[in-house]
Amino acid sequence: MSACNLTQHEITVEEVHRNLPPSALYEHAILYEKDAHIAENGALVAYSGSKTGRSPKDKRVVKQSPSENEVWWGTVNIPLDPHTFAIIRERARDYLNSRERLYCFDGFAGWDPKYRMKVRVICSRPYHALFMHTMLIRPKREELETFGAPDFVIYNAGAFPANRLTSGMGSKTTVDLSLEDKELVILGTEYAGEMKKGVFTVANYFAPKAGVLSMHCSATADKETGRSSLLFGLSGTGKTTLSADPKRLLIGDDEHCWSDEGIFNIEGGCYAKAVNLTPENEPDIFQALRFGAVLENVVLAEDHLVDYSNISITENTRGAYPIEFIHNSKIPCVAGHPTDIIFLTCDAFGVLPPVSSLSPAQAMYHFISGYTAKVAGTEVGVTEPSATFSPCFGGPFLVWHPNKYAELLAAKMKQHGTRVWLVNTGWSGGAYGTGKRIKLANTRAIVDAIHSGALAKEETERDHVFGLDVVTKCPNVPREILIPRNVWPDKAAYEVTAKKLAGLFVNNFAAYEDGVGAEVKAAGPIV
């Protein structure tokens, strides 16, 4: 599209490029970005500067009426007063107005037209415009002509620092959201993921208000019935790998909503980890990184091939691409109500069963807990796994108290007869260091049996520590591994480790007990 006028946003730059096609954004990036390159695979390679990941401690939400009574204030949603927000927005506009040319991308968040949000991104870097071209839903020409006023505006002035002396600022980086103004302002970070997660955060506020559950999960659909399945899980649990299932259609890999009509993806693209990427381990993602995709903070070899193993800039190398670059994606990215919800956890303590069935109260408990465990770190002498809990498997992006999302989940599960499963993709036969990681083939067989409905018919056995209904038989999975205690050579060590993890669950959940009912409180481990 040609130039556009942004005076309604107090932007007076004359050269504004709106919704340029990727080929034109490539040209602009090569001309005007300091380090942009085109990789041999055709992707645009760009660098985000000193910040190569999100800055959660620098995220602020404006505390004002009426949303101030609804926001879950604390370390996730740090309050900012409206006057300071106005100062920061002015600083961002001043910087953007000092640029020779700007880029505007107008796109949609949410594939269901009934719920979609019109998002406008104003930025100074072609790389940021191309990134949001891949991550938002790209409007058709006629939709762009009738786009009108946006519902949400992002001012990305990330190349310019915040003023640390401004009250409420903790550093030269600030990412500030005003729910009333429906605006996000970015200063002091050029990491593109801040824009993506800003859109998700605003969806996490407005969707539950409309009775729609916003979720940090991947989603696939059955090719015959069109009903969906949701995979929740923190980093390293296998969410991306298990959602790349050739037997099913991909709805999306990261952000979804569950409405009265079914499931829809919020995004128009995927933002995948690129570290150690190979065509053997992630064939779908590997082939999607081509012309029209963005590769962020990767290292190019002399022949312009991407060295995916090189983490000299950051371990958090990323690739962003439109979802239609994945062969088995379903366009539009909508599907029926889920038959199954799978909570993935990588339990490095080795005590959680490979698969358990959850009651609605247990589903709420484990959803609010959002557990996984990291394996021993790189520090000398650290051999113990460490537990990580992130409410609703997406703590940094929640706006309401976690119970709000958990109640919506329970109500929708009940209404649509959705089954919920806890699947451990971590260790078996001992903790990290003594046990073994559960084979991916076994986890895939478990997920297949969930989707076919076979697992719902199998017998279960109650776990005496975690209270879970453990599935004792699954097609194509060795029966002995399904009960964790049976594969630990040292049964006493199993009991000690199980009780230790149970205690960590209970301690973590104490922070949420005020907001939940007695049944949910009672659904946790027995200590």
Side-chain angles (χ1 to χ4, degrees), residues 68-193:
E68 67 178 292
N69 299 321
E70 298 162 331
V71 173
W72 181 44
W73 299 107
T75 53
V76 170
N77 297 298
I78 303 165
L80 185 73
D81 71 90
H83 180 67
T84 305
F85 177 78
I87 291 170
I88 288 156
R89 181 179 54 200
E90 187 76 356
R91 190 170 172 93
R93 283 174 174 162
D94 285 348
Y95 171 76
L96 292 168
N97 276 323
S98 73
R99 301 298 88 194
E100 208 173 307
R101 70 192 64 77
L102 292 176
Y103 301 89
C104 168
F105 182 77
D106 286 342
F108 301 115
W111 277 91
D112 185 334
K114 184 175 168 184
Y115 298 103
R116 75 183 181 190
M117 181 167 60
K118 296 187 290 184
V119 178
R120 171 165 293 166
V121 180
I122 303 166
C123 56
S124 61
R125 291 189 67 178
Y127 135 59
H128 287 152
L130 182 60
F131 176 85
M132 290 308 274
H133 167 95
T134 68
M135 294 313 302
L136 288 170
I137 299 158
R138 295 153 287 286
K140 299 182 182 83
R141 185 176 284 274
E142 58 273 20
E143 288 174 323
L144 205 51
E145 284 164 3
T146 58
F147 194 79
D151 300 316
F152 183 58
V153 179
I154 297 173
Y155 295 94
N156 188 341
F160 197 64
N163 182 342
R164 283 178 306 171
L165 301 180
T166 307
S167 73
M169 290 302 98
S171 73
K172 291 193 172 191
T173 299
T174 193
V175 179
D176 302 317
L177 173 65
S178 169
L179 294 165
E180 275 68 29
D181 298 319
K182 295 185 181 175
E183 291 176 328
L184 182 79
V185 178
I186 301 171
L187 288 171
T189 172
E190 295 175 81
Y191 179 65

Side-chain angles (χ1 to χ4, degrees), residues 388-466:
T388 303
F389 295 94
S390 184
C392 309
F393 298 93
F397 322 114
L398 302 183
V399 183
W400 303 80
H401 186 282
N403 193 47
K404 174 91 168 174
Y405 304 92
E407 282 180 341
L408 270 169
L409 180 79
K412 290 185 183 297
M413 275 167 53
K414 198 172 161 189
Q415 191 182 347
H416 302 290
T418 306
R419 301 175 292 241
V420 185
W421 309 86
L422 183 66
V423 171
N424 175 18
T425 62
W427 270 254
S428 173
Y432 172 78
T434 55
K436 287 193 175 75
R437 184 97 193 240
I438 294 167
K439 288 184 178 135
L440 179 59
N442 288 334
T443 304
R444 284 197 191 281
I446 287 168
V447 172
D448 287 348
I450 287 171
H451 289 153
S452 72
L455 218 58
K457 300 185 183 84
E458 295 291 357
E459 287 180 11
T460 61
E461 186 180 297
R462 181 65 53 92
D463 181 286
H464 70 284
V465 177
F466 296 98

